[in-house]
Amino acid sequence: MGFEFDLAIVGAGPAGGAAAQAAARYGLRTVLLDEQPKAGGQVWRASSAAILAAPSTPEKREGDRFRGELAGANVQFLSRTRVWHIERNDAGWRLGVVAPSGSASVTARGLVIASGAQERVIPVPGWTLPGVIGLAGATALFKQEMIVPGRNTIVAGCGPLLFYVATEILRLGGRVAAVVSLNSRANWARALPAMTARPDLLMRGAHWMMSLARAGTPIYWQHAVVKITGTDTVEQAIVVPVDDDWAPRSGAAETVIDADSVCLGHGLVPSVDACRLAGADLAYRPELGGWVPVADTNGQTSVPNLWACGDGAGIRGVGAAR
């Protein structure tokens, strides 16, 4: 098998893009493959070409800078390209890909998988109604299309993404009917010492909370959406208090909230399908988000010439991904 490239990198988010830039600096013939039309991944997702102007945000500034750096590197970037097959032979790799021009194969001596994370949503009755969208899916709408999920949205689930999504809906002119957080105030208070390691993010979180307070958005702490109702679309959601295991409290009163859309999400898990397809050993690491490839500190997996990096190797966030 002849090799077109020294290194193939799957995923053009912060980790994959940084790996491509580093490889190019060492003179390696490098190809970067990604399904999206532009590099940046989920966090630094580029705006649609249909948007002529948009207010600057930290993610937009970082993403534009990142794409500028990548454009200046000696890297072949194959956008809108899906990797559907990974095969190892002759001490190298062959990738089956589907691109706008059709099916093709890419061969390389080494392979880096930077497949990022995927959203975790715990199903509830009614979650398949039109108008229900994941929290991460909502952020894609904001960043790429600058639109909100509906006119009156319930934002429910856990973690900091909950408050980011709610404040972005407000910033883009939507209304947030309620924020429904599985976490309690005490959960966040206990996390404060760890969060002081990133004062910039801590201050940003405080800004989100102040924005919600100014808008008069109700926050249901330690509550869960247990049912979403409607005929052809979302009309209401039923919310109940939960215990520390997120189970509904026995005998607790239900609250019915009117809405035409629900953003629902319960964190992220590493996207390990590509690593599994490539034959890498996996291990369950709850502190890293679940199943992750077994890898050393350099990202070398159990398979020779196969590396994993970014959130696909463990949920650590965009700051650590690069």
Side-chain angles (χ1 to χ4, degrees):
M1 176 172 72
F3 297 107
E4 301 171 53
F5 299 97
D6 296 312
L7 192 66
I9 301 172
V10 178
Q21 292 174 57
R25 285 196 295 271
Y26 282 97
L28 299 180
R29 293 170 298 150
T30 304
V31 61
L32 181 63
L33 306 104
D34 196 83
E35 293 183 349
Q36 299 298 326
K38 296 181 180 179
Q42 174 69 356
V43 176
W44 293 343
R45 180 181 291 270
S47 299
S48 166
I51 297 173
L52 301 180
S56 181
T57 65
E59 290 78 21
K60 186 178 189 306
R61 290 191 293 272
E62 283 297 308
D64 288 345
R65 182 176 63 81
F66 168 75
R67 283 180 283 275
E69 291 175 354
L70 192 58
N74 187 23
V75 174
Q76 183 168 341
F77 179 36
L78 302 181
S79 63
R80 303 181 190 271
T81 299
R82 173 171 295 183
V83 176
W84 68 271
H85 180 69
I86 299 175
E87 176 183 319
R88 184 174 186 271
N89 54 25
D90 297 335
W93 297 93
R94 185 175 72 84
L95 309 180
V97 304
V98 179
S101 58
S103 299
S105 63
V106 172
T107 57
R109 295 184 183 278
L111 176 62
V112 174
I113 294 178
S115 48
Q118 62 190 53
E119 187 166 24
R120 178 173 181 245
V121 178
I122 300 174
V124 299
W127 79 309
T128 57
L129 278 169
V132 180
I133 186 173
L135 289 177
T139 69
L141 280 181
F142 305 151
K143 295 171 184 176
Q144 186 167 316
E145 308 296 343
M146 286 189 66
I147 60 177
V148 295
R151 294 183 299 274
N152 189 30
T153 305
I154 296 168
V155 182
C158 62
L161 196 57
L162 203 61
F163 305 103
Y164 170 73
V165 167
T167 54
E168 282 295 281
I169 289 173
L170 294 175
R171 186 178 71 86
L172 293 171
R175 180 178 182 275
V176 179
V179 173
V180 182
S181 175
L182 286 160
N183 304 117
S184 66
R185 291 185 180 90
N187 292 149
W188 283 106
R190 286 193 291 269
L192 274 174
M195 290 192 287
T196 57
R198 287 295 303 270
D200 57 329
L201 296 181
L202 185 58
M203 290 302 296
R204 197 169 182 204
H207 173 73
W208 295 340
M209 301 307 295
M210 287 188 291
S211 297
L212 294 172
R214 284 195 300 267
T217 303
I219 300 177
Y220 292 81
W221 296 102
Q222 205 164 355
H223 279 66
V225 169
V226 293
K227 187 176 183 180
I228 302 168
T229 63
T231 304
D232 298 317
T233 187
V234 172
E235 295 174 9
Q236 294 178 327
I238 299 172
V239 174
V240 300
V242 296
D243 61 22
D244 291 339
D245 294 320
W246 296 358
R249 294 187 182 276
S250 178
E254 297 180 345
T255 301
V256 179
I257 304 173
D258 294 331
D260 65 1
S261 53
V262 176
C263 295
L264 189 65
H266 304 90
L268 304 171
V269 295
S271 181
V272 297
D273 291 344
C275 282
R276 181 184 287 117
L277 185 61
D281 291 341
L282 303 179
Y284 188 74
R285 298 280 301 278
E287 72 279 11
L288 294 180
W291 289 97
V292 295
V294 176
D296 64 17
T297 54
N298 293 319
Q300 171 69 60
T301 70
S302 60
V303 179
N305 295 328
L306 173 67
W307 293 267
C309 63
D311 280 349
I315 305 298
R316 297 179 176 90
V318 66
R322 297 201 79 182

